[in-house]
Amino acid sequence: NPGDVEEVYLGERGVLSAVGPCRIVVDMTSSRPSLALTIAAMAAQRGMESLDAPVSGGVMGARDATLAIMVGGRRETFEEVLPLLERMGKAIAFMGGPGAGQHTKIANQILVAGTIIGVCESLLYAVKQGLDQQAVIDVVGKGFASSALFNILGPKIAQGDFSPGFFVEHFIKDMGIALAEAESAELSLPGLALVHQLYVAVKAQGNGRSGHQALYLALKSMSDIK
């Protein structure tokens, strides 16, 4: 959470208070763009460089070193750190100054929110109509409606597997950051707001530590499907 990041970097015993040869810090959490700006400013005061470099790709991407990494900061610093990032990811992009990486991750999470409700509603409709969910995934997942979320999380839903690759409570945090940034920019994102509220219900039902495919469970409950 942003509070944890702030404590780790800016706290009394935080990274930026350390005495030593450190020149560059790279924050790879998903956090507030404004906090990335603060960390960059405080690092500069200490003669250090800071990059915000959140990732997408989940546990599988981390394990296989295929993460998408979106980076904000100084380009020269990005170029210096790039060989290290290439050990973790396949799609690595410099997005702009401090905070730009976090803004890009917000855009990513907005897209995930809109996609995952479609995944869950599609499979809920399929089961209600007596279709085999995996058979639906096998054909729809190869057509125009195909997405990584459908092809990866769909089979988990079909198997009743709601174990976490990414916690519901962490996704709620990310969506909350996105909604706050959108409000600050006077931007209306009603789809995101709806999905955020549905995930709050998922957590209230005791699934905060489940995978974010557990949205299916809340939607299933709303339709009283056994």
Side-chain angles (χ1 to χ4, degrees):
N1 289 310
D4 302 318
V5 177
E6 186 170 2
E7 178 66 22
V8 166
Y9 281 93
L10 307 178
E12 185 177 342
R13 297 172 59 85
V15 171
L16 297 185
S17 69
V19 177
C22 179
R23 293 188 301 109
I24 301 171
V25 294
V26 183
D27 173 25
M28 302 189 77
T29 66
S30 299
S31 189
R32 295 191 306 266
S34 59
L35 181 55
L37 288 168
T38 299
I39 292 173
M42 296 295 289
Q45 289 180 14
R46 291 161 172 76
M48 300 163 64
E49 295 285 344
S50 172
L51 298 175
D52 50 287
V55 306
S56 181
V59 173
M60 185 182 301
R63 183 182 62 235
D64 298 339
T66 58
L67 292 168
I69 307 175
M70 45 217 84
V71 187
R74 282 204 324 129
R75 180 176 286 277
E76 294 81 1
T77 309
F78 166 75
E79 296 290 348
E80 185 174 354
V81 172
L82 182 58
L84 299 177
L85 300 180
E86 288 174 337
R87 302 293 293 175
M88 294 179 274
K90 293 298 183 185
I92 305 165
F94 177 75
M95 303 307 301
Q102 296 296 354
H103 280 302
T104 307
K105 180 59 186 289
I106 288 172
N108 179 91
Q109 298 300 70
I110 293 169
L111 181 57
V112 169
T115 304
I116 199 165
I117 189 172
V119 169
C120 293
E121 289 186 343
S122 171
L123 294 178
L124 193 64
Y125 178 84
V127 77
K128 183 68 173 180
Q129 299 299 338
L131 300 173
D132 179 274
Q133 288 179 321
Q134 187 58 55
V136 171
I137 294 163
D138 289 342
V139 63
V140 174
K142 294 179 175 63
F144 191 64
S146 175
S147 71
L149 286 171
F150 189 65
N151 290 322
I152 293 173
L153 295 184
K156 288 181 177 290
I157 292 171
Q159 296 161 15
D161 178 3
F162 299 99
S163 58
F166 187 66
F167 289 132
V168 162
E169 60 187 32
H170 289 172
F171 195 40
I172 291 173
K173 178 264 295 183
D174 286 357
M175 287 187 288
I177 292 172
L179 286 168
E181 291 293 327
E183 182 178 357
S184 177
E186 298 185 348
L187 178 65
S188 175
L189 299 176
L192 177 64
L194 170 62
V195 178
H196 178 261
Q197 284 299 300
L198 289 171
Y199 269 102
V200 170
V202 174
K203 184 178 180 181
Q205 292 172 354
N207 291 303
R209 302 289 282 182
S210 296
H212 54 344
Q213 70 272 24
L215 175 62
Y216 179 85
L217 296 174
L219 296 173
K220 182 179 177 183
S221 175
M222 289 168 62
S223 294
D224 195 30
I225 296 177
K226 305 303 181 185

